[in-house]
Amino acid sequence: TKITVGRTIAVDPKVIPYGTTVYIKGYGWRVAEDCGGGVDDNHIDVAVTDHATAMSSGVKHRDVWVLVKKPS
């Protein structure tokens, strides 16, 4: 999918599969749609408008909830 600010996060697909919806405290609902070179294990990158914004945002530690579909 196309990366969309306000929706897309980059994840390690071994930890959070692509297409998974997560809630990140302070950011809201996001969808795992990408994987970056520096994204591994429990690291998540939140899509922003440009590199300068990403660099000025820095590293933040947030609680994350993964939305899991209940089996029918």
Side-chain angles (χ1 to χ4, degrees):
T1 64
K2 183 178 177 186
I3 294 172
T4 304
V5 174
R7 182 188 74 197
T8 302
I9 56 172
V11 299
D12 181 339
K14 293 177 289 198
V15 177
I16 299 174
Y18 295 130
T20 301
T21 301
V22 304
Y23 182 81
I24 303 172
K25 188 174 183 176
Y27 291 91
W29 293 100
R30 298 290 189 269
V31 180
E33 298 179 315
D34 190 32
C35 174
V39 177
D40 60 353
D41 297 324
N42 292 327
H43 179 105
I44 294 174
D45 275 354
V46 177
V48 294
T49 54
D50 55 54
H51 183 74
T53 302
M55 297 310 293
S56 67
S57 296
V59 175
K60 297 181 174 125
H61 298 271
R62 298 283 187 233
D63 291 328
V64 175
W65 290 266
V66 176
L67 185 63
V68 178
K69 186 177 180 181
K70 285 176 67 174
S72 354

